[in-house]
């Protein structure tokens, strides 16, 4: 339905709606495909907007979390030890006390942990956005389900169905106030 629709259910002019066109029977796989495509496009857009520093941090984090990184370090440390214990007579020792090796690995550890933290911060920000989306969709779903329940109870009442007068439905027909739920969670958590 477009915003310039003249029906009473039309959206407010100039206000973007977070909805898509009506579904046709059998469109579930199409909707699923559309949602997956939309999420992939969103992720690609976020990746395209990432700074060069972020790309470098992500790349280093990805490599440092791989087995080739482990194998490379094993080879370097073994070579370093072999040279400095003078097991390889054709290469002169340069770090007999292994102080340089300890310093290099300490500095590398500092940088790697920083890169990992940068990547984790970016992942946490993306997780926060997804969680916010989940909350918004759940609130919309709750509102829609409550409204459907109200309409169903009204129809059942009009038809004289006894279950329409079930007292437990009255509470279910009320809209949830998310701020009150959060207040209750915080109060019970203390």
């Amino acid at each position: 339905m477009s915003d310039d629709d003249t029906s009473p259910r039309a959206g407010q002019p100039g206000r973007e709606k977070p909805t898509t066109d009506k579904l046709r029977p059998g469109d579930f796989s199409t909707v699923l495909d559309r949602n997956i495509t939309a999420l992939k496009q969103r992720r690609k857009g976020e990746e395209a907007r990432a700074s060069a520093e972020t790309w470098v941090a992500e790349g280093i984090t990805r490599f440092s979390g791989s087995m080739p990184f482990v194998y490379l370090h094993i080879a370097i440390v073994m070579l370093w030890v072999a040279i400095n214990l003078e097991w390889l007579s054709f290469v002169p020792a340069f770090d007999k006390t292994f102080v340089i090796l300890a310093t290099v690995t300490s500095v590398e550890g500092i940088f790697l942990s920083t890169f990992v933290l940068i990547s984790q911060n970016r992942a946490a920000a993306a997780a926060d956005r997804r969680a916010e989306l989940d909350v918004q969709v759940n609130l919309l779903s709750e509102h829609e389900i409550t409204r459907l329940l109200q309409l169903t109870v009204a129809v059942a009442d009009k038809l004289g169905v006894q279950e329409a007068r079930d007292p437990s439905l009255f509470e279910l027909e009320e809209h949830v106030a998310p701020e009150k739920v959060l207040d209750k969670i915080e109060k019970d958590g203390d």
Side-chain angles (χ1 to χ4, degrees):
M1 183 182 325
S2 67
D3 284 337
D4 52 316
D5 189 339
T6 55
S7 73
R9 294 175 24 192
Q12 297 172 358
R15 185 171 178 213
E16 187 177 328
K17 297 186 302 181
T19 57
T20 61
D21 294 333
K22 289 183 179 178
L23 298 178
R24 293 179 308 258
D27 274 356
F28 179 72
S29 63
T30 305
V31 171
L32 186 61
D33 291 341
R34 186 201 67 79
N35 290 345
I36 290 170
T37 301
L39 291 173
K40 283 182 180 178
Q41 288 173 345
R42 173 61 64 114
R43 188 175 300 129
K44 284 180 183 178
E46 289 171 358
E47 289 173 0
R49 287 188 300 275
S51 66
E53 293 89 358
T54 302
W55 277 105
V56 169
E58 291 282 336
I60 291 172
T61 301
R62 233 181 343 270
F63 177 64
S64 66
S66 68
M67 286 310 292
F69 181 80
V70 172
Y71 301 143
L72 177 65
H73 277 72
I74 289 171
I76 290 171
V77 169
M78 287 175 60
L79 184 62
W80 193 293
V81 168
I83 290 171
N84 291 294
L85 289 178
E86 297 179 339
W87 292 347
L88 303 175
S89 58
F90 54 91
V91 181
F94 57 89
D95 186 22
K96 288 188 179 198
T97 61
F98 295 98
V99 171
I100 297 172
L101 178 62
T103 303
V104 167
T105 55
S106 295
V107 170
E108 180 187 36
I110 291 168
F111 281 107
L112 287 177
S113 61
T114 302
F115 290 131
V116 168
L117 287 172
I118 290 169
S119 295
Q120 286 179 338
N121 287 342
R122 184 167 182 235
D128 288 346
R129 286 191 303 275
R130 284 191 298 274
E132 179 68 23
L133 174 63
D134 286 345
V135 167
Q136 293 301 326
V137 169
N138 288 338
L139 289 172
L140 286 170
S141 296
E142 187 279 330
H143 173 73
E144 292 167 353
I145 291 168
T146 300
R147 189 66 185 126
L148 283 171
L149 180 62
Q150 290 169 341
L151 291 171
T152 304
V153 168
V155 168
D157 192 39
K158 183 95 173 156
L159 295 174
V161 176
Q162 283 296 60
E163 285 81 9
R165 292 178 181 83
D166 182 348
S168 67
L169 291 176
F170 298 126
E171 184 177 344
L172 293 175
E173 287 183 86
E174 299 205 10
H175 289 277
V176 172
E179 62 279 2
K180 290 183 180 178
V181 174
L182 288 172
D183 290 343
K184 175 85 170 129
I185 291 170
E186 288 173 3
K187 180 182 174 189
D188 290 350
D190 293 337

